[in-house]
Short mmCIF file of all heavy atoms in Angstrom, two decimals:
data_model
loop_
_atom_site.label_atom_id
_atom_site.label_comp_id
_atom_site.label_asym_id
_atom_site.label_seq_id
_atom_site.Cartn_x
_atom_site.Cartn_y
_atom_site.Cartn_z
N GLN E 219 -3.77 49.63 -16.71
CA GLN E 219 -2.72 48.53 -17.10
C GLN E 219 -3.31 47.37 -17.60
O GLN E 219 -2.62 46.61 -18.42
CB GLN E 219 -1.85 48.39 -15.94
CG GLN E 219 -1.16 49.51 -15.46
CD GLN E 219 -1.81 50.53 -14.46
OE1 GLN E 219 -3.04 50.40 -14.29
NE2 GLN E 219 -1.13 51.10 -13.46
N LEU E 220 -4.48 47.00 -17.22
CA LEU E 220 -5.06 45.54 -17.52
C LEU E 220 -5.87 45.55 -18.82
O LEU E 220 -6.45 44.56 -19.12
CB LEU E 220 -5.84 45.02 -16.36
CG LEU E 220 -5.10 44.74 -15.17
CD1 LEU E 220 -6.13 44.41 -13.93
CD2 LEU E 220 -4.24 43.52 -15.30
N ALA E 221 -5.78 46.67 -19.60
CA ALA E 221 -6.61 46.69 -20.79
C ALA E 221 -6.49 45.54 -21.75
O ALA E 221 -7.44 45.11 -22.25
CB ALA E 221 -6.27 48.04 -21.52
N TYR E 222 -5.32 45.00 -21.77
CA TYR E 222 -5.09 43.88 -22.74
C TYR E 222 -4.65 42.57 -22.05
O TYR E 222 -4.29 41.60 -22.76
CB TYR E 222 -4.06 44.17 -23.93
CG TYR E 222 -4.70 45.03 -24.94
CD1 TYR E 222 -4.52 46.56 -24.88
CD2 TYR E 222 -5.62 44.54 -25.81
CE1 TYR E 222 -5.10 47.23 -25.89
CE2 TYR E 222 -6.28 45.43 -26.83
CZ TYR E 222 -5.95 46.73 -26.77
OH TYR E 222 -6.56 47.55 -27.70
N ALA E 223 -4.89 42.51 -20.79
CA ALA E 223 -4.37 41.35 -20.05
C ALA E 223 -5.41 40.19 -20.22
O ALA E 223 -6.65 40.53 -20.45
CB ALA E 223 -4.21 41.70 -18.56
N GLU E 224 -4.87 39.04 -20.16
CA GLU E 224 -5.79 37.92 -20.06
C GLU E 224 -6.32 37.74 -18.60
O GLU E 224 -5.55 37.78 -17.69
CB GLU E 224 -5.05 36.62 -20.48
CG GLU E 224 -4.61 36.55 -21.87
CD GLU E 224 -5.81 36.58 -22.89
OE1 GLU E 224 -6.86 36.01 -22.74
OE2 GLU E 224 -5.68 37.25 -24.08
N PHE E 225 -7.64 37.33 -18.38
CA PHE E 225 -8.18 37.28 -16.97
C PHE E 225 -8.33 35.73 -16.76
O PHE E 225 -9.05 35.06 -17.53
CB PHE E 225 -9.42 38.02 -16.91
CG PHE E 225 -9.38 39.55 -17.08
CD1 PHE E 225 -8.16 40.17 -17.30
CD2 PHE E 225 -10.47 40.31 -16.70
CE1 PHE E 225 -8.10 41.48 -17.32
CE2 PHE E 225 -10.42 41.82 -16.70
CZ PHE E 225 -9.14 42.44 -16.93
N ILE E 226 -8.00 35.44 -15.60
CA ILE E 226 -8.30 34.15 -15.22
C ILE E 226 -8.83 34.14 -13.65
O ILE E 226 -8.36 34.73 -12.82
CB ILE E 226 -7.02 33.18 -15.08
CG1 ILE E 226 -6.70 32.77 -16.55
CG2 ILE E 226 -7.36 31.83 -14.25
CD1 ILE E 226 -5.45 32.07 -16.74
N PHE E 227 -10.14 33.69 -13.53
CA PHE E 227 -10.84 33.68 -12.28
C PHE E 227 -10.99 32.26 -11.82
O PHE E 227 -11.34 31.43 -12.62
CB PHE E 227 -12.14 34.25 -12.31
CG PHE E 227 -12.16 35.76 -12.86
CD1 PHE E 227 -12.43 36.15 -14.15
CD2 PHE E 227 -11.96 36.73 -11.87
CE1 PHE E 227 -12.40 37.38 -14.60
CE2 PHE E 227 -11.88 38.06 -12.28
CZ PHE E 227 -12.14 38.36 -13.74
N THR E 228 -10.62 32.00 -10.48
CA THR E 228 -10.71 30.61 -10.02
C THR E 228 -11.47 30.67 -8.68
O THR E 228 -11.39 31.65 -7.97
CB THR E 228 -9.30 30.11 -9.71
OG1 THR E 228 -9.35 28.87 -8.97
CG2 THR E 228 -8.33 31.10 -9.02
N ASP E 229 -12.09 29.56 -8.46
CA ASP E 229 -12.89 29.51 -7.17
C ASP E 229 -12.07 29.18 -5.99
O ASP E 229 -12.38 29.48 -4.89
CB ASP E 229 -13.89 28.35 -7.22
CG ASP E 229 -15.12 28.67 -8.20
OD1 ASP E 229 -15.34 29.97 -8.49
OD2 ASP E 229 -15.69 27.82 -8.63
N VAL E 230 -10.73 28.86 -6.26
CA VAL E 230 -9.88 28.48 -5.17
C VAL E 230 -9.64 29.73 -4.28
O VAL E 230 -9.42 30.77 -4.78
CB VAL E 230 -8.48 27.96 -5.69
CG1 VAL E 230 -7.45 27.75 -4.57
CG2 VAL E 230 -8.56 26.79 -6.59
N LEU E 231 -9.65 29.50 -2.99
CA LEU E 231 -9.43 30.63 -2.03
C LEU E 231 -7.98 30.86 -1.87
O LEU E 231 -7.25 29.82 -1.95
CB LEU E 231 -10.12 30.27 -0.52
CG LEU E 231 -11.50 29.95 -0.52
CD1 LEU E 231 -11.96 29.47 0.85
CD2 LEU E 231 -12.45 31.04 -1.12
#
Side-chain angles (χ1 to χ4, degrees):
Q219 296 90 332
L220 291 169
Y222 283 101
E224 296 295 326
F225 288 9
I226 289 180
F227 297 99
T228 167
D229 287 339
V230 177
L231 306 175

